[in-house]
Amino acid sequence: MTQPLLELDRLSISYRTRRGAVPAVVDVSLSLNPGESLGLVGESGCGKSTIAFGIMRWLAGRGQIVGGRVLFEGRDMATMSPAELRHVRGKRIAMVFQEAMSALNPCLTIGAQLTEVLRFHEDVVGPEAERRAKTMLSEVRIPDPDRVYRAFPHEISGGQQQRVVIAMALLANPALLLLDEPTTGLDVTVEASVVKLIAEVSRRFGTSLLYISHNLALISRVCERIAVMYAGEIVEEGPTRRILTAPIHPYTRGLIACLPESGADKVARPLAPIPGQIPAPWERPAGCFFMPRCAYAVPGRCDVAHPPLIDDGTGAQVRCVRADEIGPERVAGVAGQPPAAAEGISVAVDNLSKDYKITPPGLRGLLPFAEPLRIRANDHLTFNAEAGRTLAIVGESGCGKSTFARILTGLERATGGKVEVAGADLGQLSVIDRSRDQLRALQMVFQNPDETLNPSYKVGRQIARVAKRLLSLGRKERAQRVQDLFAEIRLPPGIADRKPRHLSGGQKQRIAIARAFVGRPDIVVADEPVSALDVSVRAAVTQLLMEIQRAHGTTLILISHDLALVRYVADTVVVMYLGQVMEAGSTNQVFSGPHHPYTELLLKAQPKLDNDQGLDAPVEGETPSPLDPPKGCPFHTRCPRKVGTICEAARPPEQVTPAGHRMACHIPMADLARVQEKELT
């Protein structure tokens, strides 16, 4: 029998606080064989990252292992000397963190940071270290490794930064790779490339993987087994296909019900957010920790004794006293409603362009009168947003989505074209020049509420301030408006007296939504409003956003790279690439096909809850620099359906069907439909 590479034997980790010892991880037992991949999933605060830091023995400060053992290659890591731990970290166990830039030194070149690994762990320096570093950059599919080797971290893209971190982790050929949310915040195409790379590297080098994430669809692409964590303990563990297709524990079922079902929308299969929140470690209930949020809980059984983790007979384990009684039906959401009928055009975008001028870095300070370079962030955009409905704008980072949002909200001025709202062209009207009615009518929900909420003021005061400025309400009216909004976003009124640091991520995003809707706006721009949230919180915030939109008849412009979310929420979709519109139409038209080749590859890169799907080939190559965009079709340098030199020389014509489906491509839509349908059969 093969000895496990890693074995957690009833591991318990606590943190010392003013309340005493707070248990973060409780009695966790897991094993990982050589070359095996295990996914650790669950909401934020359930203890996933604490386990990773416990394995690495990075529990500095108040954290400590209070029970159990961490066995690596048969040795108890608690018995290792500091020198032995330094050898194991990086050499035998390596870790890839969520934020690549937090793991890279901005003052050192990529090459210096890579060769440092070889110098420290293998005493390899000079030309041999450089050769091995560049070879590893090639192994992780970085184009032009010589250039990247000489570059600083800020000079490469986010996807390249993450690949560099993976290369750094793999340089010493570790036996175990710990990955803590390594693709959060990346584009869907970059995410697909990184995930495929991790799987390939694991197979090639025989590396074991412990992949930490709250993205079940992503885990299904990489991992052979899944362990589901809740409130510091394992509640279900087993083969990936068994966990995702036949989940038993109510918490696992709840996580899956929070995800948009493939091909379904908000009417066909509404989301079912898990009610409540993970209890604080000092507030965990007696009996089952999940009971207060569980739809299957039975008083007198589930709250009597803490349930053990038992074998269910399928090669999996589950922690539930009702495991044999719960039927296979999936958790159902609240009945969906059809989209509101369009009430005309709310936002009309006509030939909108935005140029930025920059001085080449090598000429700054040397030639102050040098001819600046022009970057076209938006290139003759034309589309409409229908009143009372949801328009989604999708595409990779750098495609111009957020630039358009800044123009619409007055944070930037357009270079050319128009953005008409209520008969006024807002393209040239900055936010400081807009009237109070124009400000009230158009609000924005940003991706990160921490960057938009004032940490020094209570959240109720921040909402009241907006009500005073936009609606000129008196003190009593402002207080009532705040109270009404808190009821609408389903938060207790007492939260109004808290500061942002005292709130969870989901609560802060609800406050950001309330602040956007306080002036009863006609249009709300939501820029990646749920991308940084857990799946359960994301489902709740998504449902909330749609309910408020419907109640107020608001036009919602959603900016996102999450195509599953877009298909679920949106009524119409615009697909952008390098500042241009590649495809536009109703959600059904864009997702059902025929697809523009760029849209087609975005859809292939989107992870799905299907472990049998394999890893579809993601979009190859890097997005071209906006300083030197390709001639002809902007996508031809990465397009798998390129038909010849016409794609390189001529801008593609826009094709429009009688139903309003638009596409900019040299291939006729009928031909695309035949080819794509043939590949599916």
Side-chain angles (χ1 to χ4, degrees), residues 216 228 236 240-261 269 271-272 274 330-331 535 609:
L216 285 169
V228 183
E236 192 163 6
T240 297
R241 181 168 179 77
R242 146 67 178 81
I243 297 296
L244 297 183
T245 59
I248 293 178
H249 197 281
Y251 179 60
T252 310
R253 293 182 176 206
L255 290 177
I256 293 175
C258 289
L259 300 174
E261 195 172 271
R269 218 284 286 172
L271 303 181
I274 302 174
R330 80 183 276 141
V331 179
V535 288
L609 273 180

Side-chain angles (χ1 to χ4, degrees), residues 153-166:
H154 70 274
E155 295 177 320
I156 59 178
S157 68
Q160 289 177 332
Q161 290 169 2
Q162 195 61 283
R163 294 181 201 187
V164 166
V165 172
I166 293 173

Side-chain angles (χ1 to χ4, degrees), residues 214-234:
H214 59 251
N215 189 334
L216 285 169
L218 190 64
I219 287 292
S220 72
R221 287 190 157 195
V222 181
C223 298
E224 300 162 298
R225 292 191 298 124
I226 290 179
V228 183
M229 286 196 70
Y230 182 78
E233 65 181 8
I234 302 295

Side-chain angles (χ1 to χ4, degrees), residues 42-328:
E43 298 169 282
S44 295
C46 69
K48 305 186 301 295
S49 295
T50 300
I51 283 182
F53 289 124
I55 293 171
M56 296 290 283
R57 299 296 303 275
W58 277 340
L59 295 170
R62 298 181 180 274
Q64 63 183 69
I65 295 176
V66 295
R69 299 181 299 168
V70 177
L71 302 175
F72 178 70
E73 295 181 327
R75 288 195 59 190
D76 186 349
M77 294 188 67
T79 65
M80 293 183 183
S81 66
E84 289 176 314
L85 280 175
R86 284 194 297 271
H87 173 77
V88 169
R89 295 171 183 155
K91 176 64 177 175
R92 301 300 295 153
I93 306 176
M95 190 163 180
V96 177
F97 297 92
Q98 177 174 345
E99 293 290 341
M101 278 301 288
S102 67
L104 294 173
N105 189 328
C107 300
L108 297 178
T109 64
I110 299 300
Q113 298 182 63
L114 289 171
T115 54
E116 182 181 32
V117 175
L118 294 171
R119 177 176 57 82
F120 184 84
H121 289 293
E122 298 186 13
D123 199 25
V124 176
V125 296
E128 176 62 14
E130 180 177 344
R131 183 193 66 79
R132 286 182 56 179
K134 290 180 179 179
T135 299
M136 185 56 72
L137 289 176
S138 298
E139 292 281 355
V140 297
R141 305 283 182 84
I142 287 184
D144 194 2
D146 290 334
R147 179 189 65 82
V148 172
Y149 182 87
R150 297 188 302 269
F152 287 90
H154 70 274
E155 295 177 320
I156 59 178
S157 68
Q160 289 177 332
Q161 290 169 2
Q162 195 61 283
R163 294 181 201 187
V164 166
V165 172
I166 293 173
M168 191 180 302
L170 293 172
L171 259 178
N173 194 21
L176 173 63
L177 190 59
L178 308 178
L179 302 114
D180 191 359
E181 301 279 10
T183 61
T184 298
L186 298 181
D187 289 326
V188 63
T189 52
V190 178
E191 177 184 77
S193 297
V194 170
V195 169
K196 186 175 183 180
L197 167 68
I198 291 169
E200 290 175 351
V201 165
S202 174
R203 287 193 297 268
R204 186 182 311 145
F205 294 99
T207 308
S208 299
L209 302 177
L210 180 62
Y211 203 119
I212 296 170
S213 181
H214 59 251
N215 189 334
L216 285 169
L218 190 64
I219 287 292
S220 72
R221 287 190 157 195
V222 181
C223 298
E224 300 162 298
R225 292 191 298 124
I226 290 179
V228 183
M229 286 196 70
Y230 182 78
E233 65 181 8
I234 302 295
V235 295
E236 192 163 6
E237 186 270 331
T240 297
R241 181 168 179 77
R242 146 67 178 81
I243 297 296
L244 297 183
T245 59
I248 293 178
H249 197 281
Y251 179 60
T252 310
R253 293 182 176 206
L255 290 177
I256 293 175
C258 289
L259 300 174
E261 195 172 271
S262 179
D265 58 20
K266 54 193 172 188
V267 178
R269 218 284 286 172
L271 303 181
I274 302 174
Q277 299 177 20
I278 294 180
W282 55 87
E283 295 177 344
R284 289 170 183 159
C288 175
F289 291 165
F290 187 62
M291 180 181 172
R293 307 173 69 188
C294 182
Y296 302 94
V298 176
R301 290 187 60 192
C302 299
D303 56 356
V304 175
H306 193 68
L309 195 63
I310 59 173
D311 195 318
D312 71 346
T314 67
Q317 295 178 303
V318 63
R319 191 185 299 274
C320 180
V321 298
R322 300 197 62 206
D324 296 333
E325 307 169 22
I326 300 174

Side-chain angles (χ1 to χ4, degrees), residues 264-271 334-339 546 550 568 571:
D265 58 20
K266 54 193 172 188
V267 178
R269 218 284 286 172
L271 303 181
V334 179
Q337 297 182 1
M546 290 189 299
R550 179 174 292 279
Y568 178 77
D571 301 304

Side-chain angles (χ1 to χ4, degrees), residues 403-620:
T403 298
F404 166 73
R406 288 195 295 269
I407 293 172
L408 180 60
T409 53
L411 301 178
E412 299 275 3
R413 294 177 188 266
T415 305
K418 296 181 179 180
V419 182
E420 291 192 0
V421 176
D425 181 10
L426 300 185
Q428 298 294 332
L429 204 59
S430 72
V431 66
I432 60 175
D433 296 324
R434 297 185 183 185
S435 67
R436 185 168 64 178
D437 285 343
Q438 288 173 327
L439 293 174
R440 180 205 60 78
L442 206 161
Q443 290 291 303
M444 190 163 183
V445 179
F446 294 90
Q447 177 176 354
N448 190 348
D450 285 318
E451 296 179 359
T452 57
L453 295 176
N454 191 322
S456 302
Y457 293 100
K458 297 175 181 178
V459 294
R461 178 181 176 183
Q462 297 186 53
I463 295 176
R465 181 175 180 272
V466 178
K468 178 181 179 180
R469 178 173 176 79
L470 296 182
L471 300 177
S472 300
L473 299 180
R475 185 182 297 273
K476 290 185 178 180
E477 290 82 359
R478 292 199 301 271
Q480 184 61 47
R481 181 67 178 143
V482 171
Q483 185 175 349
D484 293 343
L485 277 171
F486 268 79
E488 201 165 11
I489 63 174
R490 298 191 182 92
L491 286 180
I495 286 182
D497 294 325
R498 298 184 188 178
K499 294 181 179 179
R501 66 176 179 272
H502 298 137
L503 306 181
S504 68
Q507 289 173 331
K508 285 185 282 193
Q509 193 62 291
R510 288 173 185 243
I511 296 296
I513 292 172
R515 190 174 63 177
F517 279 91
V518 67
R520 302 182 181 92
D522 301 318
I523 304 163
V524 168
V525 181
D527 190 357
E528 301 281 8
V530 296
S531 63
L533 303 177
D534 288 330
V535 288
S536 56
V537 179
R538 177 185 302 201
V541 171
T542 299
Q543 292 290 95
L544 171 69
L545 195 58
M546 290 189 299
E547 289 172 9
I548 296 178
Q549 177 203 16
R550 179 174 292 279
H552 294 270
T554 309
T555 302
L556 180 63
I557 297 178
L558 174 68
I559 295 173
S560 180
H561 61 251
D562 185 342
L563 296 185
L565 175 69
V566 166
R567 183 164 195 169
Y568 178 77
V569 170
D571 301 304
T572 54
V573 179
V574 171
V575 182
M576 290 181 62
Y577 183 75
L578 278 182
Q580 299 182 33
V581 174
M582 296 286 99
E583 186 171 4
S586 70
T587 303
N588 186 59
Q589 289 170 340
V590 171
F591 282 87
S592 298
H595 314 290
H596 187 281
Y598 179 56
T599 309
E600 180 184 359
L601 291 181
L602 288 178
L603 290 169
K604 284 185 177 181
Q606 183 72 33
K608 306 175 185 67
L609 273 180
D610 181 0
N611 198 43
D612 291 337
Q613 69 173 358
L615 291 167
D616 291 319
V619 180
E620 296 295 338

